[in-house]
Amino acid sequence: MHRISAKILLGVAVFLAVILQANTLQAQDAAKLFKANCASCHKPTDQKLIGPGLKGIRSRWPDEAKLIAWIRNSTEFLKTGDAYANKLFEEYGRSVMPAQNLSDAEIIAIIDWTDKGGDAPAAAAADGAATADGAGAAAAETSSDSYLYILIIVGLVLLVLINVLNSVKSSLESLVNEKKGIVVEPEPIRTPTEKFRIWASNNKKIVAVISLLLVIWVLKQGWDGLMGIGVYQGYAPEQPIKFSHKLHAGDNQIACVYCHSGVEKSKHANIPSANVCMNCHMYIQEGPQYGKEEIGKIYAALDYNPETRTYGPNQKPIQWIRVHSLPDHAYFNHSQHVAVGKIECTSCHGPIDSMEVVQQHSPLTMGWCIDCHRKTEVDKDNKYYEELHKQFVNDPKYKKGDKFTIGSLGGLECSKCHY
Ligand code: HEC
Ligand code: HEC
Ligand code: HEC
Ligand code: HEC
Ligand code: HEC
Ligand code: HEC
């Protein structure tokens, strides 16, 4: 009985793993792969970004083998002298598409997905600015992980089933024994841990399968974390002090620059030190929601005694957890956008003043930066741009009706954002 059920369980688990794995590579993983490797330059729609929109891509590339070769390494492919590819390359100002370390199956999944124009929620997530709150991205994440959860749940259900079958079996046996008049010694009483240990040593295969699934799951979580997958829109880590932007910037109307004083002058918007908090919390010692508890953590960081109003020697900075983070190779400057470009914090960070916990509102992908640079028109009346606007209009390539955007200023040049 035990032997057979272990084999069945193993078989079912492997079968399910294969089926579910194969299915998910098509839809969610394609969206994820696209987001990780292509979304900085392409949209899964008709719209251009750095490269062409990829909707209906199969109609432009009737030969799938060529299309795969092109996506894997376009520089190599151009050397074959393919006329269409070389024309496209010239058309896009000889921009080089990075070589991709992807399998055929992964590339085909991306092609299938984009050919249809992407699916609604994931396309919106890749599209960036279009998603209001990152719910789309979060949904795509969960569904792609869910097959592992399903496997674990199926495993647990099978376990319960086996146990039930076993107990049915033993009660049948005792019934038969009773009929035959055989007296069986009652089983010794055991604690649940002992029972589990005995069960585990009788069912080594089941234990092995479950441990294997757990290990795979843990590895996958770790891998996703490393690749930064899922730590995009909607990321809202719990902070060491329950600091609420809604309470401070919303209800109490404290200006953003009061605390983030660097934002108009420098590249970075600084996080305020605990001393800035003390400007008010020297006096405000209790909060409406958490009483003295959370404000007490400010005092603890400064080794401050609110009774005697004295600071001690054991001060340590509050370890705020970073929410927004661009990779090192990308250059972003706050003062350029806030002071010169006159862009509101909320255009990029969303409704911070109604957030209890800060969350990443925008995708912060290259596509997102480029999209805004392409769409945003420069204020011609701003003295700062007067000279540049003259140059733009006098350029021989200028056609009447061309829009004077951040892109026309050079905001689409690779070197402006990459060192
Ligand atoms: C750094 C920007 C960049 C990235 C990343 C990128 N591409 Fe491209 N892609 C381009 C550019 C630019 C072109 C236009 C041709 C050229 O200049 O090489 C292009 C062209 C293409 C074409 C041909 C389009 C047409 O209309 O025929 C396909 C297909 C394509 N890319 C797929 C992908 C896929 C799939 C990925 C991700 C695995 C990807 N690209 C990643 C920049 C990029
Ligand atoms: C009373 C001080 C204070 C005010 C006013 C304030 N903030 Fe903050 N802000 C903080 C602190 C402290 C943190 C770090 C803790 C956190 O993330 O909640 C922070 C974090 C942030 C972050 C996330 C930083 C990261 O790690 O990526 C953003 C974005 C932000 N604030 C924007 C704003 C905007 C926009 C406003 C105005 C609407 C504003 N803040 C007003 C104190 C303040
Ligand atoms: C300009 C004044 C001002 C500054 C600066 C300030 N706060 Fe506050 N804080 C307030 C006010 C006002 C309240 C609400 C008090 C009330 O409603 O009773 C408050 C409440 C709080 C609460 C209590 C929340 C609750 O519901 O219990 C915490 C925690 C807090 N602040 C943390 C901070 C931290 C951390 C900083 C520094 C990064 C900071 N504050 C900076 C004005 C300020
Ligand atoms: C054009 C988009 C944009 C605007 C406008 C903008 N931010 Fe940011 N913000 C970003 C990006 C992108 C990052 C991540 C920067 C990085 O990782 O280097 C960021 C990061 C931050 C951080 C974390 C610390 C840092 O500098 O990395 C804070 C705090 C912040 N922003 C506050 C603000 C405040 C306050 C305003 C308005 C006065 C504002 N931001 C306006 C895009 C913007
Ligand atoms: C909401 C719109 C918006 C978003 C999103 C945005 N920018 Fe900008 N960006 C602007 C505007 C407006 C200017 C013009 C300000 C100026 O003239 O300096 C600008 C200018 C720039 C410049 C200077 C360009 C030049 O020609 O001197 C750089 C570099 C830049 N942005 C980088 C970024 C990066 C990197 C991101 C994404 C992380 C980003 N921007 C996201 C609106 C945006
Ligand atoms: C307006 C700013 C901006 C411009 C212009 C820009 N990039 Fe980027 N780029 C970024 C940002 C921000 C990231 C990081 C995005 C992320 O981590 O998803 C990035 C990421 C990348 C990556 C890493 C791949 C990826 O998807 O993370 C490559 C490769 C790249 N850019 C190439 C280019 C090339 C080539 C050009 C010129 C055709 C260019 N970039 C122009 C802002 C820009």
Side-chain angles (χ1 to χ4, degrees), residues 170-184:
S170 59
S171 51
L172 279 178
E173 269 170 2
S174 62
L175 209 73
V176 171
N177 288 342
E178 217 171 280
K179 278 260 171 73
K180 287 182 188 161
I182 305 173
V183 181
V184 187

Side-chain angles (χ1 to χ4, degrees), residues 237 239-241 243-245 248-250 253-260 269-272 276-277 320-325 345-346 349-350 352-353 356-359:
Q239 300 288 350
I241 299 180
F243 175 82
S244 162
H245 276 79
H248 289 86
Q253 297 279 313
I254 305 170
C256 310
V257 286
Y258 182 96
C259 290
H260 301 293
N270 58 302
I271 302 293
V276 175
C277 311
W320 300 111
I321 295 166
R322 203 174 165 125
V323 184
H324 301 76
S325 186
C345 310
T346 46
H349 293 298
I352 292 266
D353 59 2
E356 290 284 355
V357 178
V358 176
Q359 67 159 264

Side-chain angles (χ1 to χ4, degrees), residues 24 34 59 64 66 87 124 142 162 191 278 293 358 370 413:
T24 40
F34 179 83
S59 62
E64 183 171 281
K66 282 190 183 173
K87 184 170 148 279
T142 10
I162 290 167
T191 67
M278 289 304 280
E293 189 183 336
V358 176
I370 299 268
E413 286 164 22

Side-chain angles (χ1 to χ4, degrees), residues 78 129 238 293 307:
L78 286 168
E238 197 182 319
E293 189 183 336
E307 320 271 272

Side-chain angles (χ1 to χ4, degrees), residues 262-268 331-343 373 382 384-385 406 409 411 416-417:
V263 78
E264 291 180 332
K265 297 178 289 229
S266 72
K267 179 174 182 302
H268 281 291
Y331 175 84
F332 177 83
N333 186 320
H334 268 99
S335 68
Q336 204 164 38
H337 288 88
V338 175
V340 185
K342 302 262 178 276
I343 302 184
H373 286 187
N382 187 332
Y384 189 85
Y385 299 117
I406 310 304
L409 289 180
K416 285 279 167 71
C417 303

Side-chain angles (χ1 to χ4, degrees), residues 22-45:
N23 273 343
T24 40
L25 187 60
Q26 312 278 316
Q28 285 94 13
D29 282 1
K32 209 184 227 184
L33 284 167
F34 179 83
K35 217 173 128 190
N37 301 296
C38 324
S40 45
C41 302
H42 292 287
K43 288 198 177 197
T45 60

Side-chain angles (χ1 to χ4, degrees), residues 170 173 184-190 195 198:
S170 59
E173 269 170 2
V184 187
E185 271 183 43
E187 287 212 13
I189 297 164
R190 296 195 171 103
K195 276 192 193 156
I198 294 170

